[in-house]
Amino acid sequence: MSSDGPDHMSSQDFRRHGYALIDWIANYWEGVESMPVLADVAPGEIRSRLPNFAPEAPEPFESILSDLDKIVLPGITHWQNPNWFAYFPANSSPPSVLAELVSAGLGVQGMLWSTSPAVTEIETQVMDWLVDLLDLPQPWKTTSEGGGVLQMSASDSTHTALVVARHKASAVNNVDASSMVVYTSSQAHSSIEKGARIAGYGHIRLIEVDANQAMVSSALDAAIRKDLDSGLTPVFVGAAVGTTGTTGVDPIREIGIIAATHNLWLHVDAAYAGSAMICAEFRHHQDGLELAHSYTFNPHKWMMVNFDCSAFFVSDRKPLIDCLSILPPYLKDEASESGAVIDYRDWHVPLGRRFRALKLWWVLRSYGAEGIREMIRHHVSLADYFASLIIKDSRFELVAPHPFALVCFRCTAGREATQALTAAVNATGNFYWTGSTLNDEPMIRVSIGQTKTTKEHVDRLWKTLSDLA
Ligand code: PLP
């Protein structure tokens, strides 16, 4: 080490290793289909390959790189394999990955407008674009009262909404959070319950769903009235456009009217299905969205933007900023004080923030809305095709509607057969899908959304499951 600090990688070496790494990623993408989808390692196996102590002396970058193949890859579950049918997708694309690299290279963080004006202004513009692209309510634009901000995850967005709603309700009702109630359906994502706990709400009600897995709005109304009669304070309704279990769609308009009647905050979670709204034919599912106070969807699930990139919108940014803005002296800033700029630090929990908008911007520009629509329609048509195969075979039955690209089914022979099939297909290593339950009965979720999944992959999955059933 010299008196000028540690030895850094030279620009020349950075170029050399950087080009090699781009080759490595391109090779990975070319070869990922032939890798077992699910990592085949025992708990602790990867860790055991690492030394017990952090290195004292610098290591050559070549040896660091070679461990990508030796240590990292064996422990990777390949979400980018086109045979990925598990959970929901976390799909990705080359422009997104390149933008991620630039974001790291710039190494900026955009907590204030002045800490990198481009980070804020590109994000603001791209979020306003999304309002038009997805036909979200116009007041959600920053040119109106609302606005959007990128966060790490839908859970963060939902937690933020819960905190803002609680803050607003305490100011209006002058009651403690322990008497406040959150409502969501029994099929809602666990992030709503988790967020309610974190925000200190005293009660959460899981409202029943109908045969389509949609919240029964009359049951919501009844639950709110019961709580009011008991002296509690109903505050927040979390509705879903596309539940995690089966992509059930709650009746947003009916729920919004009930929420407005009782002066509740309505948050809509479209983490997965929100991307589909770029196609006009799916937008009837979000009818009533103008009644929502906040909304989240994840471009990192189904819009070819690699994780992490979750969009959060509010219909009115004032309560959000009132709740989250704190101004210590070291963050005082002339541009902020002028009122002419957005400081996204006031729009979510973290202070520091990455340049996430770059990858969203590059994906939107590289594919255009047309390209994204084509991908969504391609996946939805594959899901329709897969569902048609299930319907035609008496050994299987669909267990829920499939409005997007998730198909849920079970074996008609019973629970053991469904569980056995779930495990047998995963055990081939050639596919990965998720077993779950609906009404306490096992089911299988087939989620089609990896960027490169084609009909051939779906046909191979069908042949395999058909042979194993
Ligand atoms: N909401 C829904 C409907 C989801 O399906 C998911 C994840 O699949 C989430 C929220 C949580 O998303 P995140 O991992 O971005 O917090």
Side-chain angles (χ1 to χ4, degrees), residues 279-281 372-382:
C279 305
E281 65 269 30
I372 298 170
R373 280 188 204 112
E374 209 178 318
M375 177 210 58
I376 298 274
R377 288 181 177 138
H378 169 63
H379 290 145
V380 173
S381 73
L382 289 178

Side-chain angles (χ1 to χ4, degrees), residues 87-105:
Y87 308 110
F88 280 135
N91 70 18
S92 178
S93 62
S96 180
V97 172
L98 291 174
E100 195 78 289
L101 183 63
V102 175
S103 169

Side-chain angles (χ1 to χ4, degrees), residues 124-155:
T124 305
Q125 188 67 4
V126 170
M127 297 306 276
D128 279 3
W129 280 359
L130 285 180
V131 171
D132 289 329
L133 280 175
L134 306 175
D135 199 22
L136 304 176
Q138 287 293 315
W140 294 9
K141 282 188 179 171
T142 48
T143 46
S144 186
E145 306 88 59
V149 60
L150 292 174
Q151 305 222 35
M152 180 175 76
S153 71
S155 303

Side-chain angles (χ1 to χ4, degrees), residues 97 115 151 170 230 285 309 330:
V97 172
T115 59
Q151 305 222 35
S170 7
S230 318
H285 292 301
C309 185
Y330 45 83

Side-chain angles (χ1 to χ4, degrees), residues 88 152-156 158 189 191 240-244 269-272 296 298 300-301 307 310:
F88 280 135
M152 180 175 76
S153 71
S155 303
D156 290 320
T158 297
H189 189 263
S191 53
V241 175
T243 58
T244 311
D269 175 0
Y272 159 72
T296 185
N298 285 350
H300 71 225
K301 278 187 163 55
F307 189 85
S310 178

Side-chain angles (χ1 to χ4, degrees), residues 11-243:
S11 290
Q12 204 185 7
D13 282 347
F14 177 75
R15 286 195 170 86
R16 191 164 55 86
H17 295 312
Y19 300 148
L21 261 183
I22 293 289
D23 282 342
W24 188 92
I25 296 171
N27 290 340
Y28 171 69
W29 286 339
E30 281 167 12
V32 65
E33 185 172 350
S34 60
M35 300 177 189
V37 188
L38 190 60
D40 185 18
V41 289
E45 196 176 323
I46 300 297
R47 185 174 178 176
S48 71
R49 295 183 199 172
L50 305 183
N52 286 339
F53 298 99
E56 186 59 33
E59 293 181 51
F61 200 70
E62 282 78 0
S63 78
I64 297 173
L65 271 186
S66 71
D67 283 345
L68 262 182
D69 291 312
K70 283 193 272 190
I71 299 179
V72 179
L73 267 192
I76 291 295
T77 288
H78 301 286
W79 288 68
Q80 304 313 321
N81 187 317
N83 295 301
W84 178 269
F85 298 104
Y87 308 110
F88 280 135
N91 70 18
S92 178
S93 62
S96 180
V97 172
L98 291 174
E100 195 78 289
L101 183 63
V102 175
S103 169
L106 291 172
V108 296
Q109 69 104 328
M111 57 190 186
L112 304 175
W113 174 86
S114 58
T115 59
S116 265
V119 173
T120 296
E121 294 194 11
I122 290 171
E123 183 159 333
T124 305
Q125 188 67 4
V126 170
M127 297 306 276
D128 279 3
W129 280 359
L130 285 180
V131 171
D132 289 329
L133 280 175
L134 306 175
D135 199 22
L136 304 176
Q138 287 293 315
W140 294 9
K141 282 188 179 171
T142 48
T143 46
S144 186
E145 306 88 59
V149 60
L150 292 174
Q151 305 222 35
M152 180 175 76
S153 71
S155 303
D156 290 320
S157 303
T158 297
H159 299 177
T160 307
L162 280 154
V163 166
V164 179
R166 185 202 60 193
H167 186 258
K168 199 174 160 209
S170 7
V172 174
N173 301 304
N174 198 22
V175 290
D176 189 74
S178 61
S179 74
M180 294 186 191
V181 194
V182 169
Y183 305 83
T184 194
S185 93
S186 58
Q187 289 295 306
H189 189 263
S190 55
S191 53
I192 297 189
E193 193 164 347
K194 190 176 190 178
R197 268 198 234 167
I198 293 169
Y201 284 84
H203 310 269
I204 176 147
R205 310 277 181 241
L206 299 182
I207 307 297
E208 67 184 89
V209 293
D210 63 16
N212 290 332
Q213 308 306 315
M215 191 194 291
V216 176
S217 54
S218 57
L220 169 69
D221 194 49
I224 294 173
R225 288 179 191 280
K226 191 165 169 225
D227 285 331
L228 282 169
D229 287 347
S230 318
L232 295 174
T233 312
V235 168
F236 184 99
V237 188
V241 175
T243 58

